[in-house]
């Protein structure tokens, strides 16, 4: 989340907390009570989107780097022995497919490395019967294919993760806008109904002001924990990861 969105979410959580702490007052006006419940539902959706947006893709990158290194090492190891075979049969046309050092192959971009390793595999398969005399076994060739496939899958996953994040970011922005409209156009305009409760009106308006914090992420984390512990919020099934999925807002009895 961006800094501005964090400040808005802190304000959202503070406003919701004020409303829940003064639920006996709010319940006197059914319309305001309904708006407050809708508001808490929106906050839950915002938190869910926020956590989905923040799901790490770093592990995919680490796995990809590890598999990439193994793939290149194995391809170069096979190419070295296959190159000896090509020289032995005096076939430059065959040898050109196996003329790779670790550095030259490792420096290739991912989109180039995958088809190159596929070509090396195809050529090894083509000459497999002869290559066994040069230390290359069928399982070694099969491993090159498996590593190439594994690397290709890891190459795609982070990009899918980035696309998913973009979608979650869009939904997050939409939910924040919905909550803002609910506040500005409905809840704020119901405040005159509670003129006889000036202290409630005061703390409500204070919660609506976005403040500057030295540690906004720390404040946000605390506010979220307080939100989950509120009596009007319960877990309807086992929470996953950060505990957002499955939560629902309870209407007051």
């Amino acid at each position: 989340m961006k800094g501005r969105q964090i400040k808005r979410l802190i304000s959202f959580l503070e406003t919701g907390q004020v409303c829940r702490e003064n639920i006996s007052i709010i319940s006197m006006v059914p319309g305001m009570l309904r708006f407050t419940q809708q508001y808490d539902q929106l906050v839950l959706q915002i938190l869910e989107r926020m956590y989905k947006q923040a799901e790490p893709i770093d592990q995919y990158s680490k796995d990809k780097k590890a598999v990439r290194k193994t793939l290149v090492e194995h391809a170069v190891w096979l190419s070295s022995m296959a190159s000896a075979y090509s020289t032995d049969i005096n076939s430059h046309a065959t040898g050109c497919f196996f003329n790779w050092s670790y550095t030259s192959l490792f420096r290739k971009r991912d989109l180039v490395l995958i088809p190159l390793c596929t070509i090396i595999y195809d050529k090894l398969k083509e000459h497999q019967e002869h290559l066994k005399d040069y230390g290359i076994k069928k399982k070694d060739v099969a491993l090159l294919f498996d590593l190439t496939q594994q690397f290709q899958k890891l190459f795609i996953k982070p990009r899918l993760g980035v696309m998913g994040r973009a979608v979650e970011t869009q939904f997050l922005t939409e939910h924040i806008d919905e909550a803002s409209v609910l506040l500005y156009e409905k809840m704020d305009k119901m405040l005159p109904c509670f003129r006889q409760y000036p202290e409630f009106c005061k703390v409500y308006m204070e919660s609506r002001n976005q403040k500057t914090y030295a540690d906004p992420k720390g404040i946000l984390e605390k506010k979220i924990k307080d939100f989950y512990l509120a009596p009007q919020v319960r877990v309807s099934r086992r929470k996953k990861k950060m505990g957002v999925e499955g939560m629902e807002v309870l209407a007051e009895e």
Side-chain angles (χ1 to χ4, degrees):
M1 291 185 75
K2 298 179 181 178
R4 182 169 174 269
Q5 289 180 324
I6 290 175
K7 289 174 67 175
R8 290 178 74 183
L9 184 51
I10 291 174
S11 177
F12 288 170
L13 290 165
E14 287 181 345
T15 301
Q17 183 177 355
V18 167
C19 291
R20 287 189 298 275
E21 289 174 351
N22 293 274
I23 198 70
S24 59
I25 296 175
I26 286 176
S27 298
M28 296 177 182
V29 182
M32 185 64 166
L33 177 61
R34 178 164 51 83
F35 294 154
T36 301
Q37 293 165 358
Q38 291 174 358
Y39 179 73
D40 279 346
Q41 288 284 6
L42 274 174
V43 171
L44 280 174
Q45 291 175 25
I46 290 170
L47 293 178
E48 182 176 358
R49 296 298 181 184
M50 182 186 73
Y51 287 128
K52 286 184 178 180
Q53 182 196 44
E55 284 180 352
I57 59 173
D58 294 344
Q59 189 58 46
Y60 289 134
S61 298
K62 290 178 182 178
D63 292 345
K64 192 188 81 168
K65 286 180 181 179
V67 173
R68 191 184 206 281
K69 183 175 183 295
T70 304
L71 171 62
V72 172
E73 288 175 346
H74 193 62
V76 170
W77 179 69
L78 291 172
S79 293
S80 178
M81 294 178 285
S83 180
Y85 159 73
S86 302
T87 302
D88 195 24
I89 64 173
N90 196 26
S91 175
H92 176 73
T94 302
C96 67
F97 292 104
F98 306 120
N99 188 26
W100 295 105
S101 66
Y102 178 85
T103 302
S104 63
L105 193 58
F106 187 81
R107 285 180 176 175
K108 297 297 182 183
R109 295 176 59 189
D110 294 345
L111 284 171
V112 176
L113 179 62
I114 294 170
L116 277 178
C117 288
T118 301
I119 291 171
I120 293 172
Y121 167 76
D122 289 340
K123 288 299 175 180
L124 289 170
K125 284 283 289 181
E126 184 180 334
H127 299 275
Q128 191 163 308
E129 288 303 315
H130 303 290
L131 288 172
K132 63 183 180 182
D133 292 337
Y134 297 82
I136 297 178
K137 302 176 182 178
K138 287 185 177 181
K139 65 178 182 179
D140 298 325
V141 178
L143 179 58
L144 179 62
F145 176 81
D146 292 341
L147 287 170
T148 304
Q149 293 296 307
Q150 188 178 352
F151 178 69
Q152 187 171 10
K153 290 177 182 177
L154 289 170
F155 170 72
I156 293 171
K157 276 186 177 180
R159 282 153 179 77
L160 294 176
V162 170
M163 290 170 62
R165 277 187 175 181
V167 172
E168 293 302 331
T169 299
Q170 181 181 346
F171 282 129
L172 176 62
T173 302
E174 290 176 358
H175 288 325
I176 288 176
D177 290 342
E178 286 180 46
S180 296
V181 170
L182 182 56
L183 280 170
Y184 288 117
E185 300 298 330
K186 296 181 180 180
M187 293 173 68
D188 288 357
K189 292 182 178 181
M190 294 290 287
L191 209 57
C193 295
F194 306 100
R195 287 179 299 178
Q196 67 272 39
Y197 301 100
E199 188 60 30
F200 164 66
C201 294
K202 178 184 176 182
V203 293
Y204 177 89
M205 291 310 300
E206 286 176 352
S207 72
R208 296 286 287 107
N209 296 325
Q210 294 182 26
K211 308 173 186 68
T212 300
Y213 301 95
D215 180 22
K217 290 185 178 180
I219 296 294
L220 177 60
E221 183 178 348
K222 182 181 182 304
K223 294 293 182 184
I224 290 172
K225 287 180 180 178
D226 291 343
F227 177 71
Y228 289 160
L229 294 173
Q232 288 81 24
V233 179
R234 76 176 182 189
V235 181
S236 61
R237 60 177 181 270
R238 186 180 297 274
K239 293 183 288 185
K240 301 176 182 177
K241 292 184 180 179
M242 302 300 290
V244 178
E245 294 89 349
M247 289 192 171
E248 60 182 18
V249 178
L250 295 178
E252 283 294 305
E253 295 295 339

